[in-house]
Amino acid sequence: MTPKSHLLTLVFICSASLAAANPDAWKSEWPSTDFTTTTIDDWFEILSGGPPKDGIPALSDPSFIAASDEAKIGGREPVITLEIKGETPRAYPIRYLTWHEIVNDDVGDTPVAVTFCPLCNSGMVFDRRLGGDLLTFGVSGKLRNSDMVMFDRETESWWQQAIGTGIVGVHTGDELTQLPAWMEGFDQFKARNPNGLVMKEPDWPRSYGQNPYRGYDSSSQPFLYRGENPPHGISPLMRVVRVGDAAWPLDRLSEAGEVTENGVKITWRAGQNSALDKADISKSRDVGSIRVNDARTGADVPHDVLFAFAFHAFWPDGKWMLK
């Protein structure tokens, strides 16, 4: 199946699933999920992305190799970088996360969920601890505002990836702690961390390094999204840097190079390819890398680089940091 036909299939499946958008139709697949406890007002917000529960297989306990020994990954290919004090920095390649979307890992004493939603370009890392519980996450196959709905295997509660919040089940309203992490080109990671680790290629039959959403971030409209477009004439698929409830369009940041506002310093530099452009990620266009630091202390700040439509969907009253 070609990438374009893959997307058309997803759209067809999504349209066919609208009539089944209610918990009664889902209970056979989700017998342990408490659908009576939820923040969802309209179940038609929940769409099928095509694959069933675990149809996109999340990973757990991945293997790593020295970044200096990795020869398959292009220098500008995107990775999610996680640097936890006292631990060897780790890079999680988007070429793998595109096909798995969640990696459950342990970095020293910190259990983490590394997440990437291709349809929103949202890549975030969460602490898997919640109170005294340790959660393990999977991919539900459901979408809301085109964003991945995760689930935890312990209670089968549903979680919205873009906001790290429980939306269905016993964990409704609970919030995961987002950790400072960022997306950058693999060469950028290696230059800063010559002794760093990179996640090893998973043992799954997938076309790693290929983008099944070819041309997606050049589209005029997002797939599997029925909400409002963002205001101010901003393209729905413009990347924005979200910090809290504020968003900076990437075109402003790439032009300025550095912006200090709202208590943060945001820097842009070339060197990271889009994961959602050409079929071969290593040959995609350079969209640049973002770092967000506390303007006073210099500490890395949790953030996300997602599409503008997703920011508007989940932060409808959010602040747009325009010129």
Side-chain angles (χ1 to χ4, degrees), residues 27 41 47 50 59 84 91 116 119 129 169 175 181 187 248 253 298 315:
K27 286 180 179 177
D41 294 324
L47 304 178
L59 302 174
I84 293 179
F116 177 65
L119 293 180
R129 293 170 294 192
E175 297 183 3
D187 276 351
W248 287 257
L253 297 170
W315 288 271

Side-chain angles (χ1 to χ4, degrees), residues 221-265:
Q221 291 292 327
F223 288 99
L224 310 181
Y225 177 67
R226 299 182 295 143
E228 292 182 344
N229 283 335
H232 310 299
I234 296 173
S235 170
L237 286 133
M238 165 65 71
R239 288 172 171 83
V240 301
V241 179
R242 181 193 64 80
V243 185
D245 62 355
W248 287 257
L250 197 67
D251 59 353
R252 178 192 173 193
L253 297 170
S254 62
E255 180 180 342
E258 181 178 305
V259 171
T260 300
E261 292 173 341
N262 264 28
V264 296
K265 181 177 76 171

Side-chain angles (χ1 to χ4, degrees), residues 6-248:
H6 174 72
L7 283 171
L8 290 173
T9 299
L10 290 182
V11 173
F12 174 78
I13 293 172
C14 172
S15 299
S17 71
L18 292 178
N22 70 79
D24 290 336
W26 300 327
K27 286 180 179 177
S28 61
E29 188 178 23
W30 299 92
S32 300
T33 302
D34 177 10
F35 288 103
T36 66
T37 305
T38 182
T39 55
I40 303 299
D41 294 324
D42 183 353
W43 289 109
F44 281 94
E45 293 180 10
I46 304 292
L47 304 178
S48 170
K53 174 185 178 184
D54 285 324
I56 297 173
L59 302 174
S60 292
D61 301 319
S63 298
F64 289 82
I65 61 173
S68 58
D69 292 337
E70 174 56 71
K72 297 185 214 176
I73 300 176
R76 294 190 315 192
E77 282 196 42
V79 300
I80 294 179
T81 293
L82 182 60
E83 297 180 1
I84 293 179
K85 187 176 180 180
E87 302 297 334
T88 303
R90 300 189 181 194
Y92 300 82
I94 296 299
R95 61 161 46 210
Y96 307 143
L97 279 160
T98 294
W99 298 94
H100 296 280
E101 300 193 1
I102 299 174
V103 177
N104 296 284
D105 195 12
D106 293 282
V107 183
D109 295 329
T110 305
V112 300
V114 182
T115 71
F116 177 65
C117 176
L119 293 180
C120 291
N121 194 69
S122 174
M124 294 191 290
V125 178
F126 300 104
D127 191 319
R128 293 192 287 119
R129 293 170 294 192
L130 188 68
D133 297 327
L134 178 62
L135 302 178
T136 307
F137 290 95
V139 182
S140 72
K142 301 289 190 289
L143 299 168
R144 179 168 169 251
N145 292 324
S146 200
D147 179 60
M148 168 175 52
V149 176
M150 312 186 298
F151 74 96
D152 69 77
R153 300 192 185 281
E154 289 69 27
T155 71
E156 294 201 343
S157 295
W158 292 7
W159 299 78
Q160 193 73 61
Q161 181 263 354
I163 57 177
T165 301
I167 58 172
V168 177
V170 299
H171 283 303
T172 293
D174 288 342
E175 297 183 3
L176 300 170
T177 298
Q178 184 184 353
L179 302 177
W182 54 93
M183 290 176 63
E184 61 183 342
F186 185 46
D187 276 351
Q188 293 171 334
F189 172 83
K190 289 192 294 183
R192 199 177 54 260
N193 301 296
N195 298 315
L197 299 173
V198 60
M199 190 174 84
K200 187 177 179 181
E201 182 171 297
D203 188 20
W204 283 82
R206 298 291 187 272
S207 299
Y208 295 123
Q210 295 295 300
N211 162 32
Y213 307 94
R214 183 175 59 195
Y216 178 52
D217 62 358
S218 298
S219 303
S220 59
Q221 291 292 327
F223 288 99
L224 310 181
Y225 177 67
R226 299 182 295 143
E228 292 182 344
N229 283 335
H232 310 299
I234 296 173
S235 170
L237 286 133
M238 165 65 71
R239 288 172 171 83
V240 301
V241 179
R242 181 193 64 80
V243 185
D245 62 355
W248 287 257

Side-chain angles (χ1 to χ4, degrees), residues 291-308:
R291 289 291 293 273
V292 181
N293 301 96
D294 186 289
R296 183 178 59 85
T297 67
D300 288 304
V301 173
H303 66 280
D304 192 13
V305 181
L306 74 170
F307 290 133

